[in-house]
Amino acid sequence: MISITKHSDYAIVILAYFARNPSALISAKGLSTSLKLPYPTVSKLLKILVKSKLLVSIQGAQGGYRLSVLQIPFRWLQSLKLWRGQLP
């Protein structure tokens, strides 16, 4: 059985949001507000998603986050392993 933690669930919600808006550049604060998720949690998860190369961070006043590739072959099991710390 695969268990999904709260952070895994939030990460899936975040990735789904980016999948629906693939070319959008979204700030952490804007994403937190849009999804009605706590800002500190969203910020932490965005850093993990950038480190895992699913998202790209753009610095600056007009910066934000976006998908690293516009068409990502998304593997749910791989994502769950990432959140459990089983992937580098």
Side-chain angles (χ1 to χ4, degrees), residues 15-85:
L15 287 173
Y17 184 87
F18 279 102
R20 287 189 305 269
N21 305 288
S23 60
L25 193 59
I26 306 162
S27 70
K29 192 61 140 175
L31 188 61
S32 172
T33 302
S34 294
L35 297 175
K36 296 180 176 71
L37 297 175
Y39 174 75
T41 304
V42 169
S43 180
K44 177 182 175 180
L45 291 173
L46 287 171
K47 288 177 188 175
I48 293 170
L49 291 168
V50 167
K51 187 175 180 182
S52 65
K53 299 184 175 153
L54 291 172
L55 297 180
V56 174
S57 172
I58 308 296
Q59 302 296 317
Q62 300 298 318
Y65 296 87
R66 66 170 175 80
L67 287 175
S68 60
V69 196
L70 292 181
Q71 304 237 345
I72 294 177
F74 193 73
R75 296 180 181 95
W76 293 104
L77 185 58
Q78 184 178 11
S79 175
L80 291 174
K81 286 181 180 179
L82 171 71
W83 300 119
R84 289 183 169 179

